[in-house]
Amino acid sequence: MAKTLTLKNLPDALHARLSAAAKRHRRSLNNEAIVCLEAGLGAPSTSVEEQLARIRALRETLGPHIFDLDEIDAFKREGRP
């Protein structure tokens, strides 16, 4: 069940920043606050097994690809001055 939280004594500058972020992300002030809290508190930890399962599933979507050394070097240099 979702809970309710009331914030008191929120500084004007912080409220303005939160409001601007909500507008920029097209969210309500409440939803923006939730997103910020989730980001600040971090995601719930997952087990190593769950992380590995997600990595394996992602690998399967990528399909096989063999890179040669020249291609790897080009990827490393890409975007570098």
Side-chain angles (χ1 to χ4, degrees), residues 4-74:
T4 300
L5 172 69
T6 300
L7 298 175
K8 295 181 180 181
N9 302 319
L10 190 64
D12 291 339
L14 182 56
H15 182 274
R17 288 173 49 207
L18 186 63
S19 181
K23 185 175 182 179
R24 189 170 51 251
H25 298 128
R26 296 182 177 174
R27 296 184 184 121
S28 69
L29 196 59
N30 185 76
N31 284 347
E32 188 67 26
I34 290 171
V35 169
C36 290
L37 285 169
E38 286 175 338
L41 295 174
S45 60
T46 57
S47 70
V48 172
E49 292 80 16
E50 290 172 316
Q51 291 175 5
L52 287 173
R54 279 196 259 151
I55 290 168
R56 289 182 181 114
L58 176 61
R59 277 189 190 153
E60 288 178 16
T61 66
L62 298 176
H65 187 85
I66 299 172
F67 296 100
D68 63 31
L69 294 178
D70 291 333
E71 195 174 16
I72 292 171
D73 287 338

